[in-house]
Amino acid sequence: MLLIPAIDIKGGQCVRLRQGDLTSNITVFNTDPVAQAKHWVDLGAQRLHLVDLDAAKSGKPVNLAVIKKIISEFSDDVEIEIGGGMRTLERVEQVLDFGADYVVIGTAAVKAPGFLHDVCCQFGGSVIVSLDAKDGMVMTDGWTKTTGHSAVDLAQRFEGYGVDAILYTDISRDGMLTGCNVDATVDLARHLSIPVIASGGIRDLEDIRKLLAVEDDGVTMAILGRSLYEGTLDFTEALKLVEESEGSED
C-alpha cells in the first residue's frame, strides 16, 4: 500500500478543504508548500499528490511556479503527481516536462473523453483519472453537477483508453475525517484490472488497516490529506503499519 500525502495549493499556500468547497471552509496549514513537501519527503513519503486548486477552478496554472519548484527539488527522491486544471494537451505536457511522473485528470476526463483519449495516446504511463462520486454517481464541476454515470461504468471505459490508475473519492467524506468509504472503493477496484487510489475521509490507523485488508482487491494506494494536517493520523506510524503488513506477507 502506497500512502501519498496531499498538498493542495491555493494562493501559493498549502490548504485543505471540506467537501471540495473552494469558497469557504478553507484552512491554511502551511504558507510554504515547498517546506511542506520537504516535511513529507523527510518522513519517508514515496509519492506526493499536488493539486493546484486555483487552476482547478479557473483552468489557469496559477500556482505553477510553486509546483515547478517542488518538482525540481524532490522529483529525484519521490514520485510526483499533479492535478488541477489539466484541460489541454499543452498543460499536461508542460508539467510532465517539468519532471512530474503523473498527471491527474478530473472533470475534463468526464466532460471531454476525446481529450482523455488523446492524453493517453501521447502520454501513456503517466495518466491518472480522478472520479469524484456521491452515492456511486460521478460528479463534476467542483462536485456541483451529477453526470448520470456510475463510477464503475466510467472507470471501465477509461481503463479501455489506457489510464494507469483511478483515483476514487467519496465526496460526502472528503475532508470530513469520517472514515474512508472502503466498501465503495473496493467494489470499484473489483471491476477493474488497473489500480485504484482511495481518497476521502481517511482519518486514522484503523482506516489504513481497513485499506490494507483490501489491497489484494486492487486498492493499492491512498491519498492522505486532512488527517495528516490535523494530526488524527501520524504519517510515520501509518508507514510503519504498512511495512509491518508487507513483512507479514513475506
Side-chain angles (χ1 to χ4, degrees):
M1 176 72 63
L2 182 63
L3 303 181
I4 311 171
I7 301 176
D8 290 356
I9 305 170
K10 180 175 174 58
Q13 301 182 109
C14 176
V15 307
R16 294 303 298 171
L17 311 178
R18 292 185 185 274
Q19 296 182 314
D21 188 349
L22 281 165
T23 59
S24 61
N25 290 321
I26 300 172
T27 306
V28 177
F29 283 100
N30 197 325
T31 58
D32 185 351
V34 180
Q36 188 63 60
K38 184 178 187 304
H39 174 72
W40 299 132
V41 172
D42 287 347
L43 287 181
Q46 296 178 23
R47 185 188 294 189
L48 299 176
H49 178 80
L50 309 183
V51 180
D52 185 336
L53 291 174
D54 295 298
K57 182 177 182 180
S58 68
K60 300 177 181 178
V62 176
N63 298 291
L64 191 60
V66 174
I67 289 172
K68 184 177 180 180
K69 188 172 183 180
I70 292 174
I71 293 172
S72 67
E73 292 200 17
F74 304 110
S75 61
D76 288 342
D77 303 307
V78 296
E79 292 182 324
I80 298 176
E81 57 189 48
I82 309 292
M86 297 294 168
R87 302 175 189 174
T88 67
L89 288 171
E90 291 76 17
R91 172 85 165 116
V92 170
E93 184 174 20
Q94 183 180 44
V95 297
L96 292 176
D97 283 347
F98 285 163
D101 297 280
Y102 299 95
V103 292
V104 181
I105 302 175
T107 294
V110 179
K111 299 180 77 171
F115 162 69
L116 176 63
H117 188 271
D118 290 343
V119 172
C120 290
C121 287
Q122 293 194 37
F123 307 104
S126 301
V127 185
I128 296 169
V129 166
S130 175
L131 294 180
D132 304 324
K134 183 177 182 180
D135 299 324
M137 305 302 289
V138 173
M139 308 288 287
T140 63
D141 297 279
W143 303 349
T144 61
K145 298 179 180 179
T146 181
T147 62
H149 297 287
S150 74
V152 170
D153 287 345
L154 287 180
Q156 288 179 324
R157 181 190 304 176
F158 297 152
E159 179 180 23
Y161 289 1
V163 303
D164 297 276
I166 299 292
L167 196 169
Y168 179 77
T169 302
D170 181 334
I171 64 174
S172 67
R173 304 193 184 207
D174 188 68
M176 303 304 290
L177 298 177
T178 53
C180 179
N181 190 339
V182 175
D183 290 342
T185 306
V186 73
D187 178 67
L188 176 63
R190 287 170 177 166
H191 284 86
L192 304 172
S193 60
I194 57 176
V196 170
I197 306 171
S199 175
I202 296 172
R203 173 181 174 80
D204 51 28
L205 285 177
E206 185 57 33
D207 281 315
I208 304 300
R209 290 189 183 94
K210 291 177 181 178
L211 290 171
L212 285 169
V214 297
E215 186 173 11
D216 288 344
D217 290 296
V219 184
T220 61
M221 294 170 269
I223 303 290
L224 307 178
R226 186 173 287 271
S227 60
L228 295 183
Y229 292 96
E230 294 199 350
T232 62
L233 178 65
D234 183 283
F235 189 50
T236 301
E237 290 299 313
L239 291 176
K240 182 179 178 182
L241 181 62
V242 170
E243 184 179 349
E244 291 173 348
S245 174
E246 292 174 347
S248 67
E249 296 174 357
D250 293 339

